[in-house]
């Protein structure tokens, strides 16, 4: 949308007043990136925290988009469950934050069920097309021997809508059709584009436009580059195609995505562009309820989903850190960060070797999460230097993302993460449906004998993981940190910030983070050792100098530290938090 179109929609006085304020938030403003300018001073709480937590007694929601949070709160106030609120929020996020999620992607959930007093797990990830052979995938591999990041070769069946449907069938209170109405309204009437979405849609347009592996990008351009440019922050954006798709799902139920007009359109689209997804692939998809696993971290039980997700990586990292007195090392100290990074390196080598679709490979989960194995691995962490090379353990003989959370008056807490993966997704948008397909298929390995080796009808390794924590058999924390391999690293830092250093819910997320890149990948790729340590600018200069002295190659990585949302359960009330790295809002009432 052109700027003059946006301003024409405002009253004359408002349009005149809007010009300077709107212009000052644009990317070309020279005052936006001033390393000599720090945050303002808070009168209470951590000086570096962006805000305080939101408190309420009836329910709470924290998402990466203000309109999604408002939709969730409205659903809760109308008598909906936390699951109803989460579905409504996710649908709005698919409209307003398509750079992270949408109905073309997958979905994973951890949920506190107050009736059974248990943490429940849901795997809503899809499988590869059954008509796409390993031979064909290898013929189209990159020079590095990996699956391309975009195009039809990277597309797997989207699992999000069936995950919503499964959740609603078990925990929903309001009629299904009501949950999608807020998103439908925004799609049809439009709403202002938030800053992160504007930035990443523009980046996606550049990437898609120069990527010859994508079979077609005209559908993307029709939706997001209609006037020759992507929408700027604050401009009104409509997506009537997605609104119509949501209406079909609202009227036909969750299976309408997989067995009807939408599925017919998807099949025709892939036939037209030479892809492999079929109506039969969609109809065969089913969400799975799974048993989550946990480790005890200093009296707090932290939960994660088993493979094909990477949820065990958080648990493995925490199990190793259990062997050290992290609190004594000090908050934001070189020692605390160094030990965390080395635990990450060790856990991720196991991640690269053992995490895969359990229908094809039975991972040694009990061994990976055992205290004995954690102690064995922790002994490899040296306090004053880097292990030059780490490898996965020897098992005993035998066989781009959005996170949000909701809670309701009855005690249901939903920790949910949903994603299209890298760079908005595959670049492919089916004709007239208004959403983009994920590119999760990129995360298969092409190495013979690897548990994550590509196969037709198989689920790829998944990076998206919700987080949850309980204490004394009661719910404590529904939380997540979005962003590829940052997720286990970020989750571990959040738990340590709260448990080891006593930070509040908001402070734990706003605290400066580290992000390690390097080592082995589940795709079979080797990113090198010992890798690179990315530090946010807020990490103390003394700490950065000491880490460099230990031997770490340190780099900044703006935008690479994830996005945090959380709800904490207190007796008779909730606290909700979001963070300054995204455009979200946390609300409670």
């Amino acid at each position: 949308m052109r700027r003059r179109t946006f301003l024409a929609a405002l009253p004359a006085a408002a349009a005149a007043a809007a010009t300077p304020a709107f212009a000052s938030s644009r990317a070309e403003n020279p005052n936006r990136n001033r390393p000599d300018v720090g945050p303002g001073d808070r009168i209470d709480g951590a000086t570096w925290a962006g805000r305080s937590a939101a408190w309420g007694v009836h329910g709470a929601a924290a998402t990466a988009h203000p309109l999604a949070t408002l939709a969730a709160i409205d659903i809760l106030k109308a008598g909906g469950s936390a699951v109803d609120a989460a579905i409504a929020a996710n649908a709005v996020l698919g409209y307003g934050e398509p750079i992270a999620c949408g109905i073309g992607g997958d979905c994973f959930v951890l949920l506190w069920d107050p009736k059974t007093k248990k943490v429940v797990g849901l795997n809503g990830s899809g499988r590869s097309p059954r008509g796409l052979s390993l031979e064909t995938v290898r013929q189209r591999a990159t020079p590095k021997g990996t699956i391309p990041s975009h195009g039809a070769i990277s597309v797997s069946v989207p699992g999000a809508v069936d995950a919503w449907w499964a959740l609603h069938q078990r925990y929903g209170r309001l009629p299904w059709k009501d949950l999608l109405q807020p998103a439908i309204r925004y799609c049809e009437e439009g709403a202002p584009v938030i800053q992160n979405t504007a930035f990443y849609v523009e980046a996606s347009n550049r990437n898609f436009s120069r990527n010859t592996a994508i079979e077609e990008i005209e559908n993307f351009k029709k939706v997001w580059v209609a006037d020759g440019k992507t929408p700027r922050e604050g401009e009104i954006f409509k997506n009537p195609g997605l609104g119509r798709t949501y209406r079909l799902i609202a009227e036909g139920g969750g299976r309408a995505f997989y067995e009807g007009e939408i599925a017919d359109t998807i099949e025709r689209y892939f036939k037209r562009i030479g892809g492999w997804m079929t109506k039969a692939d969609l109809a065969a998809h089913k969400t799975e309820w799974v048993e989550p696993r946990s480790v005890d971290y200093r009296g707090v039980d932290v939960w994660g989903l088993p493979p094909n997700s990477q949820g065990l990586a958080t648990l493995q990292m925490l199990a190793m850190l259990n062997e050290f007195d992290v609190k004594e090392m000090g908050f934001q100290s070189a020692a605390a960060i160094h030990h965390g990074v080395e635990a990450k390196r060790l856990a991720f080598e196991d991640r690269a070797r053992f995490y895969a679709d359990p229908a094809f490979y039975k991972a040694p989960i009990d061994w990976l999460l055992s205290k004995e194995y954690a102690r064995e691995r922790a002994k490899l962490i040296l306090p004053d230097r880097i292990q030059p090379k780490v490898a996965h353990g020897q098992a005993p003989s035998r066989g781009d993302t959005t996170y949000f959370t909701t809670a309701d008056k009855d005690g249901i807490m939903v920790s949910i993460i949903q994603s299209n993966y890298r760079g908005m997704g595959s670049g492919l948008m089916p004709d007239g449906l208004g959403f983009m397909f994920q590119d999760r298929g990129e995360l298969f390995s092409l190495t013979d004998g690897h548990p994550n080796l590509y196969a037709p009808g198989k689920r790829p390794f998944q990076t998206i993981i919700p987080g949850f924590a309980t204490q004394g058999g009661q719910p404590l924390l529904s939380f997540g940190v979005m962003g590829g391999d940052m997720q286990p690293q970020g989750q571990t830092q959040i738990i340590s910030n709260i448990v080891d250093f006593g930070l509040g819910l908001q402070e734990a997320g706003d605290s400066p983070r580290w992000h390690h890149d390097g080592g082995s990948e589940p795709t079979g790729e080797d990113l090198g050792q010992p890798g690179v340590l990315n530090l946010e600018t807020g990490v103390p200069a003394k700490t950065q100098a000491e880490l460099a002295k230990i031997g770490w190659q340190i780099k900044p990585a703006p935008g690479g530290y994830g996005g945090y949302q959380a709800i904490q359960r207190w007796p008779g009330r909730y606290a909700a938090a979001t963070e300054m790295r995204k455009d979200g809002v946390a609300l409670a009432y």
Side-chain angles (χ1 to χ4, degrees), residues 477 479 481 490-499 508-509 513 564:
L477 183 66
F479 76 109
V481 179
Q491 286 190 1
T492 299
Q493 290 171 70
I494 294 296
I495 290 295
S496 182
N497 284 342
I498 293 173
V499 176
R513 294 191 192 132
Y564 161 78

Side-chain angles (χ1 to χ4, degrees), residues 215-236:
E215 287 79 358
E216 69 86 25
I217 60 170
E218 290 309 307
N219 286 352
F220 164 77
K221 288 187 175 290
K222 286 176 185 176
V223 174
W224 283 101
V225 204
D227 290 340
K229 68 173 185 62
T230 58
R232 301 283 185 145
E233 177 191 0
E235 291 182 347
I236 303 295

Side-chain angles (χ1 to χ4, degrees), residues 368-386:
L368 288 169
L369 297 183
S370 69
K371 291 183 178 180
E372 293 75 19
Y373 183 59
R375 291 191 187 106
E376 175 187 326
R377 299 293 271 175
K379 290 177 182 176
L380 299 176
I381 299 176
L382 306 174
D384 56 354
R385 60 189 186 277
I386 302 168

Side-chain angles (χ1 to χ4, degrees), residues 542-554:
K542 178 183 177 183
T543 297
Q544 297 196 39
E546 290 176 354
L547 287 166
K549 188 175 180 180
I550 289 173
W552 288 111
Q553 180 187 356
I554 297 174

Side-chain angles (χ1 to χ4, degrees), residues 25 30 83 85 113 124 130 154 192 207 325 341 345-346 354 399 422 461 493 531:
S25 68
V83 160
D113 185 335
R130 296 180 186 275
S154 69
N207 293 335
D325 191 343
V341 175
R345 293 178 65 209
L346 290 161
F354 299 114
R422 184 192 301 274
F461 164 80
Q493 290 171 70

Side-chain angles (χ1 to χ4, degrees), residues 101-239:
C101 65
I103 55 175
D106 286 341
C107 179
F108 287 81
V109 180
L110 287 171
L111 179 148
W112 175 259
D113 185 335
K115 291 184 178 178
T116 62
K117 299 189 183 305
K118 290 183 177 180
V119 179
V120 177
L122 180 145
N123 182 328
S125 64
R127 292 168 171 79
S128 57
R130 296 180 186 275
L132 177 58
S133 69
L134 174 60
E135 180 183 12
T136 299
V137 175
R138 280 182 163 152
Q139 289 171 353
R140 298 184 178 226
T142 69
K144 295 186 297 182
T146 59
I147 298 174
S149 301
H150 301 95
I153 199 76
S154 69
V155 177
S156 51
V157 171
V161 176
D162 194 62
W164 296 354
W165 186 242
L167 286 165
H168 186 260
Q169 295 292 98
R170 185 178 290 192
Y171 297 104
R173 291 200 200 102
L174 295 183
W176 168 262
K177 61 182 178 61
D178 293 354
L179 308 183
L180 274 66
Q181 297 310 309
I184 291 170
R185 184 172 69 252
Y186 292 129
C187 287
E188 295 175 347
E189 298 177 4
V193 174
I194 60 174
Q195 189 176 88
N196 269 273
T197 294
F199 177 86
Y200 284 110
V201 168
E202 184 178 9
S204 293
N205 182 41
R206 292 195 302 269
N207 293 335
F208 295 156
S209 297
R210 60 178 177 242
N211 191 326
T212 58
I214 305 175
E215 287 79 358
E216 69 86 25
I217 60 170
E218 290 309 307
N219 286 352
F220 164 77
K221 288 187 175 290
K222 286 176 185 176
V223 174
W224 283 101
V225 204
D227 290 340
K229 68 173 185 62
T230 58
R232 301 283 185 145
E233 177 191 0
E235 291 182 347
I236 303 295
F237 170 74
K238 298 179 182 180
N239 190 343

Side-chain angles (χ1 to χ4, degrees), residues 13-92:
T19 302
F22 187 67
S24 69
S25 68
R26 298 281 291 274
E28 57 267 27
N29 181 354
N31 292 313
R32 285 169 58 91
N33 299 305
R34 289 279 301 276
D36 59 322
V37 178
D41 297 325
R42 290 184 58 83
I43 197 167
D44 192 21
T47 57
W48 34 259
R51 67 195 91 184
S52 59
W55 290 86
V57 297
H58 300 294
T63 84
H65 196 299
L67 296 181
T69 302
L70 287 171
I73 294 294
D74 286 345
I75 291 291
L76 291 173
K77 287 184 173 181
S81 69
V83 160
D84 293 331
I87 294 168
N90 202 170
V92 173

